[in-house]
Amino acid sequence: MYGSHLQNIANNGFTVVDDVFAEDEIRSVLHEISKADANKSTFRKSAGLFAIRQFLKEIPAAKSLIFNAKLKATIAALFGDGYFVVKSIYFDKPEESNWFVAWHQDLTISVDKRTDLPGFGPWTTKQDQFGVQPPLNILEDNFTIRIHLDNADAGNGALKVVPGSHLKGIYRPETIDWDVETETTCEVKAGGIMVMRPLLLHASSRTTNHKPRKVIHIEFSRAGLPVETSWAELGKIQ
């Protein structure tokens, strides 16, 4: 059942799994989000983007809704046991949004404090949250699940990716050779998920079809960190 997805992840760095969430489950998640206090520092609200960092900590009632039987079965089939949540973000890209994201890899992890660690760096700070680039083997083993609460296509900023780029280590966007590489748009229907490796080159365009795109982005790892630091957001797969 999951054989093609395993092959897609290994070769291309991503796969799309349809129908992980039913319409009523999506409505329940959105209902919990609507009750949240948007004045916290982990919330970002503008005309072009609404985002919640540390989403599963800020909206704890959503966790049992998100980790339904099908999502847990998918994670177990694709990655086995031993993984845990290390970052979660909710994105709401409204109909009139002109927000876009340039080509990049997800090279940083979120930790609780900044400290000198061999093999870790450079460091970043965003909304009082520390980020650091860890050793390459951690990034190669991590994975991300993007849960789509709306239909996503090229018109409303579905992710564009460079298949196979996750196998090339640190791949700077300015060095992409478009005579060799190809760009693919990852269309995902509401209730489906996109699974990807963080080293996969990806980007997102502006919305042109006046349709919203709401996504829950969750990163997973099974890596132990040096004792001097800890994951900023750590949670079990329920």
Side-chain angles (χ1 to χ4, degrees):
M1 178 180 178
Y2 290 99
S4 62
H5 294 300
L6 286 165
Q7 187 173 13
N8 287 339
I9 294 169
N11 296 339
N12 299 323
F14 72 98
T15 196
V16 173
V17 184
D18 295 322
D19 301 320
V20 177
F21 298 90
E23 289 184 10
D24 63 321
E25 292 176 306
I26 294 174
R27 285 194 297 269
S28 295
V29 171
L30 291 173
H31 177 66
E32 294 300 331
I33 293 171
S34 71
K35 298 190 297 183
D37 177 6
N39 294 317
K40 295 183 178 180
S41 62
T42 49
F43 287 65
R44 175 183 171 186
K45 195 169 185 179
S46 67
L49 174 68
F50 176 53
I52 306 173
R53 293 187 175 277
Q54 300 192 20
F55 172 74
L56 294 175
K57 291 174 67 174
E58 296 292 357
I59 318 289
K63 189 169 185 177
S64 62
L65 300 171
I66 289 168
F67 287 100
N68 65 10
K70 188 157 187 179
L71 183 62
K72 288 189 288 186
T74 300
I75 292 172
L78 297 181
F79 300 102
D81 299 324
Y83 281 89
F84 40 84
V85 174
V86 294
K87 182 186 289 186
S88 60
I89 310 172
Y90 169 72
F91 293 105
D92 180 357
K93 192 173 178 181
E95 293 92 329
E96 303 302 325
S97 175
N98 63 357
W99 179 68
F100 73 98
V101 179
W103 287 105
H104 69 288
Q105 296 171 301
D106 292 336
L107 296 178
T108 62
I109 59 174
S110 296
V111 295
D112 63 341
K113 61 180 177 292
R114 178 168 181 163
T115 184
D116 290 331
L117 297 171
F120 287 74
W123 288 81
T124 61
T125 305
K126 185 182 294 184
Q127 291 181 310
D128 299 322
Q129 185 168 289
F130 297 103
V132 64
Q133 184 173 316
L136 191 61
N137 65 295
I138 293 179
L139 294 174
E140 290 173 333
D141 193 52
N142 288 359
F143 69 93
T144 297
I145 288 179
R146 294 170 59 87
I147 300 168
H148 285 255
L149 307 180
D150 295 304
N151 294 330
D153 57 30
N156 65 340
L159 279 194
K160 302 179 293 184
V161 304
V162 177
S165 54
H166 69 299
L167 299 173
K168 300 182 179 182
I170 306 302
Y171 195 165
R172 300 299 178 189
E174 62 272 17
T175 68
I176 299 174
D177 182 355
W178 291 112
D179 291 331
V180 176
E181 307 289 13
T182 58
E183 173 188 310
T184 299
T185 298
C186 300
E187 296 189 355
V188 187
K189 295 179 181 178
I193 64 173
M194 178 187 175
V195 184
M196 61 181 283
R197 292 295 191 182
L199 290 176
L200 180 72
L201 273 167
H202 56 286
S204 177
S205 299
R206 291 180 172 89
T207 297
T208 59
N209 62 4
H210 307 292
K211 294 182 179 180
R213 182 169 65 90
K214 294 184 284 291
V215 176
I216 297 170
H217 170 113
I218 306 176
E219 298 179 15
F220 300 82
S221 184
R222 57 183 172 183
L225 297 179
V227 295
E228 295 89 347
T229 193
S230 301
W231 297 99
E233 182 180 357
L234 185 61
K236 295 180 180 179
I237 299 173
Q238 290 186 331

